[in-house]
Amino acid sequence: MKNIYFKAAIFSAISMLTLSSCVKSDDYDVPEIKCTNRFAAANHQLADLTAIAKPKPTDADIIKDDYIVEAYVSSNDESGNIYKMMTLQDKPENPTIGIEVDIDGGNQYLDYPTGALVRINLKGLIVQASNGNIKVGSYDPSYSVGRINPNKLSNYFARVCDGQKPVVAVMKPLEFNSIADALKNGAHINQLVKIKNVQFEDAELTKNFADDSGTGDRYITDKKAARLDLRFSNYATFAKTPISPNYAKSGDIVLLLSRYTSPSNPTATTFTEQAYIRYLADINFTAARFTPGAPDNPSASAVNLFNGSDFENWATFLSSVNSFGLKPYATQGIGLGYGGTNSLQIKGTPSGNDYVFTSAAASGLPAAPKRITMYIKGTATGKSLSFNVYKTTGSTPAFYTFNLGTFSTGAILDADSGNANSYTGSINTNGQWKLIEINLVGLGDLNLAAGKDMFAIKTGSGGNYDLQIDNIKIE
């Protein structure tokens, strides 16, 4: 027996020596790593889900056939703030649609990181929608949409491969300059967006992001004084982090937009606009805080909108007014202007909805202006002001309409969607000069040619006006 073991040992040693003598270098071939797709190619676009979504799906709405779509993961549960759900969109940048997927379990980010391209086979699932918020989940008769069992998620979800590795894209948020622009028409629900120039409201600065009672509502505001509800979960890793001082300034924030409709009434047309951050790195607040609704002061590049729009030389101003002239209750306010200069004084009670004046554009206006600004001081009771900014297209006269409404601290005005003059509201600046901004961004057909009608101020019939207006500038 000992001889048998001894012979076997000798044979093994010789074999190893023979094999080693055949190796001519230290280079070994690395086995090729292949990543294969588990699901077939998509047979539907993500946008097709809008056609099959129901407010309250029944068991008849469970998808019976292979219904495969592709989408990119725009958020997951890595920080715990977005809990038991995942959002996906059709493209990593400039998306056209986003969806929410409800999953009854956590740590999905380990398998589906942000930017991952996935295929979803909806066979066995339902698609639910309320007020444009599209959700994918399991059928549950007790809810409008149920959460998918995490142990069965792989039946429906699979990463997409490029042949070597799973595809992961860099997600680029859609960028907006205001909350209203981001929320407009609900077009960006469940999509990754960046909203610029926002801050937490003053009342939020003494709070943590969330508290022990559950999900916290923390509100942000923008320079137009619009507000948006940010939802924070007490499951978030940063739930007990104070908002101040590190997040007390203003700046940009990356969000997932959502809409909340009561599950007990999914067909209701009422809803709450809300949003979620993925992690604290989505908040980039490094600029000074601002006063909501108050525009920034005119820049050094701002120029007179029309000749005499600083009202220092009354004859120069009158030379810019068109043939309809100036209403008699509009006069020069000598020494009553901004900083003790001269102003346009509107004092009286119009008998009709008047054009106080219409002025022609000065020469040398910027080719692509962003805004018109002016200072106002005084009161108007019963009616407010409306402004017309003329354009080159449309019926004659063609203009954009901006309505001031109730005014006291400052205002940033967007063009009225119905392009109708309105004088509703009142004005009281409490004896202080306040700034108005007329937003021109995106208005590409402005009548900027020198000598052409460019700007008008209108008053409302029966209003009692006692106003000073000064320094009408464009930049």
Side-chain angles (χ1 to χ4, degrees):
M1 184 67 67
K2 290 181 180 179
N3 289 336
I4 293 174
Y5 286 132
F6 178 76
K7 289 178 182 180
I10 293 295
F11 178 77
S12 176
I14 293 172
S15 298
M16 291 295 292
L17 182 62
T18 302
L19 286 172
S20 66
S21 66
C22 294
V23 177
K24 299 186 182 297
S25 72
D26 292 333
D27 295 330
Y28 293 87
D29 291 334
V30 177
E32 184 179 3
I33 299 175
K34 291 185 177 181
C35 175
T36 57
N37 291 311
R38 187 156 55 86
F39 291 157
N43 53 18
H44 289 276
Q45 300 295 316
L46 195 66
D48 294 343
L49 298 185
T50 59
I52 63 172
K54 304 286 181 62
K56 185 67 172 71
T58 67
D59 56 355
D61 297 308
I62 298 173
I63 297 174
K64 306 299 191 299
D65 301 315
D66 290 325
Y67 191 111
I68 302 173
V69 296
E70 285 189 355
Y72 292 86
V73 177
S74 52
S75 77
N76 51 42
D77 58 1
E78 184 172 1
S79 75
N81 192 48
I82 297 175
Y83 184 62
K84 290 191 175 182
M85 72 177 186
M86 185 190 309
T87 59
L88 304 99
Q89 58 191 48
D90 60 341
K91 293 184 288 186
E93 58 182 289
N94 298 317
T96 61
I97 187 173
I99 66 169
E100 173 187 324
V101 178
D102 292 346
I103 305 164
D104 196 19
N107 296 321
Q108 302 305 325
Y109 75 95
L110 296 172
D111 294 320
Y112 305 102
T114 299
L117 178 60
V118 299
R119 283 182 186 158
I120 310 171
N121 190 340
L122 281 81
K123 184 177 181 179
L125 300 177
I126 60 164
V127 184
Q128 189 264 348
S130 295
N131 296 308
N133 192 12
I134 299 174
K135 299 182 181 182
V136 169
S138 61
Y139 172 68
D140 185 332
S142 300
Y143 299 95
S144 54
V145 60
R147 292 191 173 113
I148 300 170
N149 185 327
N151 297 323
K152 297 180 180 180
L153 188 62
S154 61
N155 294 341
Y156 312 109
F157 270 65
R159 298 280 296 274
V160 176
C161 301
D162 63 5
Q164 297 295 322
K165 59 185 182 301
V167 177
V168 179
V170 175
M171 304 298 288
K172 184 177 179 180
L174 291 163
E175 296 190 6
F176 299 95
N177 292 314
S178 70
I179 290 172
D181 288 344
L183 299 181
K184 190 173 183 179
N185 300 324
H188 307 296
I189 298 171
N190 294 322
Q191 296 174 18
L192 197 62
V193 306
K194 176 189 286 187
I195 307 178
K196 299 180 179 180
N197 301 315
V198 296
Q199 64 188 23
F200 284 102
E201 292 183 347
D202 291 348
E204 310 296 3
L205 299 184
T206 60
K207 302 174 183 177
N208 298 337
F209 284 101
D211 50 49
D212 293 333
S213 63
T215 302
D217 295 275
R218 304 292 182 256
Y219 290 88
I220 58 171
T221 184
D222 63 14
K223 290 191 173 183
K224 296 182 180 180
R227 66 197 310 244
L228 177 61
D229 181 3
L230 264 60
R231 302 279 286 170
F232 291 98
S233 170
N234 62 352
Y235 291 102
T237 55
F238 54 83
K240 300 301 185 292
T241 300
I243 292 175
S244 183
N246 292 335
Y247 305 95
K249 293 185 176 181
S250 69
D252 306 338
I253 190 167
V254 176
L255 303 166
L256 267 302
L257 296 177
S258 181
R259 278 180 173 175
Y260 174 78
T261 303
S262 174
S264 63
N265 189 14
T267 60
T269 57
T270 57
F271 54 85
T272 301
E273 302 275 18
Q274 58 187 28
Y276 301 84
I277 66 168
R278 299 167 300 173
Y279 20 71
L280 286 180
D282 282 339
I283 306 175
N284 183 29
F285 289 178
T286 58
R289 289 182 68 81
F290 52 81
T291 301
D296 293 331
N297 290 329
S299 71
S301 64
V303 297
N304 282 348
L305 178 61
F306 47 85
N307 293 332
S309 67
D310 58 4
F311 306 107
E312 291 306 295
N313 188 314
W314 195 246
T316 300
F317 163 61
L318 292 177
S319 72
S320 75
V321 175
N322 72 6
S323 60
F324 289 97
L326 183 69
K327 287 295 182 283
Y329 52 81
T331 59
Q332 186 179 30
I334 298 175
L336 301 177
Y338 186 75
T341 61
N342 298 333
S343 65
L344 169 70
Q345 180 173 253
I346 300 177
K347 190 169 184 177
T349 302
S351 58
N353 295 333
D354 290 343
Y355 279 90
V356 179
F357 69 87
T358 300
S359 282
S363 61
L365 299 187
K370 295 182 178 179
R371 62 177 187 154
I372 295 169
T373 56
M374 73 188 81
Y375 287 96
I376 288 188
K377 178 182 177 181
T379 62
T381 56
K383 294 292 174 67
S384 187
L385 294 175
S386 185
F387 308 99
N388 291 343
V389 177
Y390 287 77
K391 57 183 180 177
T392 59
T393 58
S395 58
T396 303
F399 48 75
Y400 295 102
T401 299
F402 299 83
N403 298 314
L404 181 57
T406 298
F407 176 79
S408 61
T409 60
I412 301 174
L413 307 181
D414 291 320
D416 181 76
S417 59
N419 205 40
N421 292 110
S422 173
Y423 314 96
T424 303
S426 61
I427 300 171
N428 186 356
T429 69
N430 295 303
Q432 304 295 315
W433 285 101
K434 300 299 181 181
L435 191 62
I436 293 172
E437 175 180 316
I438 293 174
N439 179 24
L440 304 179
V441 175
L443 307 182
D445 56 348
L446 299 174
N447 200 7
L448 301 171
K452 299 294 185 181
D453 285 352
M454 171 61 183
F455 181 78
I457 294 179
K458 296 197 70 178
T459 52
S461 177
N464 185 10
Y465 293 88
D466 188 0
L467 296 173
Q468 308 296 328
I469 299 176
D470 203 1
N471 293 346
I472 304 178
K473 303 280 188 178
I474 188 169
E475 58 184 287

